[in-house]
Amino acid sequence: MEFSFNSIYSQIFTGAKMKVAVLMGSLSDKPKMQAAAEVLAEFGVPCELKIMSAHRSPGLVQEYVRKAPDRGIRVVICGAGLAAHLAGTVAAHTTLPVIGVPLSGSALNGQDALLSTVQMPKGIPVATVAIDGAYNAGLLAVQMLAIGDPALTAKLQKFRAKMTHDLEQLNQENS
Ligand code: RP5
């Protein structure tokens, strides 16, 4: 599935407020960040993808994050590579939960982005997933939104049950 950057689910969820922001530092990050949008779509959670950089467009980041809660954003996912400061910068400007996705592609294969994202100073947390772990970032956002949302919780339980079922079936077919 191909996702564009303009409130991608507004056609599907007509009138729905955005719930999750999927931010990335560069257009070159898009192939790795699509998985977050895909899992959110799987669970019917509206999201929007935006490109903004902690270094190249710091003012835009600040403005976007300041307005996010009024637009319905409840969780922010940030993917960036190299000296990845996007998640930390976003977290500095909001009390919304921020999930950081360190991205590979650098000379250090994403180890640089991992440390930049995960090693936040006390007081400003970023929930960091694995290098290129955009899928899990999307899933974690769903789990956060499922708190107090029985319908979404039920979908997560079904998702977990299917994973178990698929593994059991795999074992049966290969025993
Ligand atoms: C980071 O620098 C971006 O998140 C990207 O992962 C990396 C390279 O960006 P480009 O030079 O491809 O725009 O800020």
Side-chain angles (χ1 to χ4, degrees), residues 32-46:
K32 292 182 183 122
M33 291 305 292
Q34 293 245 122
E38 282 164 11
V39 70
L40 288 161
E42 218 175 297
F43 282 89
V45 174

Side-chain angles (χ1 to χ4, degrees), residues 23-30 32 51-56 79-86 101-106 113:
L23 310 182
M24 60 203 80
S26 167
L27 182 60
S28 66
D29 297 329
K30 188 185 169 194
K32 292 182 183 122
I51 300 170
M52 57 191 77
S53 164
H55 306 117
R56 293 165 174 163
L82 298 171
H85 291 119
L86 184 57
V101 187
L103 298 177
S104 63
S106 66

Side-chain angles (χ1 to χ4, degrees), residues 59-71 90 93-94 96:
L60 180 62
V61 173
Q62 187 173 359
E63 195 192 344
Y64 178 85
V65 173
R66 195 171 48 79
K67 292 179 179 163
D70 284 346
R71 297 182 46 251
V90 167
H93 288 297
T94 185
L96 293 175

Side-chain angles (χ1 to χ4, degrees), residues 21 73-77 90-91 94-100 125-127 144-145:
I73 301 292
R74 295 293 173 260
V75 183
V76 185
I77 296 173
V90 167
T94 185
T95 54
L96 293 175
V98 177
I99 304 171
V126 167
M144 288 171 175
L145 293 168

Side-chain angles (χ1 to χ4, degrees), residues 5 7 11 20-21 45 54 57-58 62 88 91 118 125-126 135 141 144 158 161:
F5 285 89
S7 300
Q11 293 137 343
V20 177
V45 174
S57 62
Q62 187 173 359
V118 78
V126 167
Y135 185 89
M144 288 171 175
K158 207 171 148 192

